[in-house]
Amino acid sequence: MLVLNDISWSVPDKPVLRHLNLTIPDRKCVVVTGPNGGGKTSLAKLIAGITQPDSGKILLDGRIINKMSVTERARNGIAYAFQQPVRFKGITVRDLMELASGQQMEEDALCEILSKVGLCAKEYIDREVSAGLSGGESKRIEIATVLARRARLTVFDEPEAGIDLWSFQKLIDVFENLMQEIDGSLLIISHQRRILEIADEIVVIANGQVSAQGSRDEILPQLLGEPEKACGCPLEGAHHS
């Protein structure tokens, strides 16, 4: 279980998160939504250890992890998928997958994972994770590394950004499969209705604080019925099934 207790974080002359309290239960899919600039991405980076809170505590299974680096948090089971995937010149897809899994992988195992994100292993395992990949390809490869990693808590920051419609549907399938296959939790930042619909819990963050939190059945109707009141912005895909 991850707990954020009275977390505040600011940039010069501007508070971003203000005394925020949030609990991410074990083995749940929690989707965080809310208006742009409300503090969602800052929250993700604080959990991953990319930035440190000004005050408050972040606890993983009761242990304070404020001072842990990104690497230390990764070793303790926290994974972070960037909104814009990082590219690594000189590192192949195979290298990245093996780093994520912590072991050497046979081609059959690579193929099984990459096929889940719509990629053919034979075409990709020896390609560099560099600018030669499209945005959609990079996103799918990053998600494949998450599948290989099987972390206890994986944070996705707007995973739908920069991918096409087919890839987006595949992404939904991946999230649903992840929740069945791994003994962990997902924290997904998104405005997309289809992603909100697979959540166990929905958290709305506005003005640096949690303005609403509850089950999907409780919060989603509020977002669909009164988006301006509920989260300050309309949901993407709110008029489509």
Side-chain angles (χ1 to χ4, degrees), residues 13-212:
D13 303 320
K14 181 184 177 182
V16 178
L17 297 175
R18 300 179 297 129
H19 304 289
L20 181 142
N21 293 285
L22 179 64
T23 297
I24 308 299
D26 292 334
R27 292 176 291 279
K28 296 291 184 182
C29 177
V30 179
V31 178
V32 176
T33 193
N36 291 331
K40 302 183 301 299
T41 291
S42 298
L43 170 68
K45 291 180 177 179
L46 284 166
I47 292 172
I50 295 170
T51 54
Q52 305 295 328
D54 297 331
S55 60
K57 297 177 182 178
I58 304 174
L59 301 99
L60 181 65
D61 296 332
R63 179 186 180 190
I64 298 174
I65 63 170
N66 287 42
K67 300 300 183 182
M68 280 190 183
S69 66
V70 173
T71 301
E72 289 172 318
R73 294 189 199 200
R75 288 174 182 155
N76 281 271
I78 297 177
Y80 179 71
F82 289 86
Q83 188 176 132
Q84 297 297 326
V86 179
R87 300 172 191 262
F88 304 92
K89 188 173 178 58
I91 294 180
T92 67
V93 172
R94 178 192 288 274
D95 295 334
L96 197 61
M97 296 285 287
E98 291 181 341
L99 282 169
S101 67
Q103 60 186 353
Q104 290 188 334
M105 300 180 70
E106 298 294 332
E107 189 169 310
D108 286 349
L110 289 166
C111 186
E112 180 182 355
I113 294 175
L114 288 168
S115 67
K116 291 180 180 179
V117 295
L119 298 177
C120 174
K122 291 183 179 179
E123 294 180 10
Y124 283 90
I125 56 175
D126 294 321
R127 290 185 63 179
E128 283 190 3
V129 187
S130 63
L133 296 171
S134 70
E137 288 171 328
S138 296
K139 180 72 73 172
R140 293 192 213 178
I141 289 166
E142 183 175 51
I143 293 168
T145 65
V146 170
L147 292 172
R149 176 77 191 285
R150 305 177 74 87
R152 289 184 53 215
L153 171 65
T154 304
V155 183
F156 290 92
D157 187 4
E158 296 193 21
E160 70 274 12
I163 63 174
D164 56 42
L165 185 60
W166 183 91
S167 298
F168 178 66
Q169 183 52 53
K170 201 72 177 175
L171 184 67
I172 299 296
D173 295 341
V174 166
F175 288 148
E176 291 178 328
N177 290 335
L178 265 175
M179 290 309 300
Q180 294 175 5
E181 293 177 7
I182 66 172
D183 186 24
S185 298
L186 302 182
L187 177 66
I188 307 171
I189 294 170
S190 180
H191 293 296
Q192 285 286 344
R193 174 177 174 173
R194 284 287 289 115
I195 292 179
L196 287 157
E197 286 174 340
I198 66 171
D200 295 307
E201 295 186 10
I202 295 174
V203 177
V204 181
I205 291 184
N207 299 318
Q209 295 181 315
V210 175
S211 64

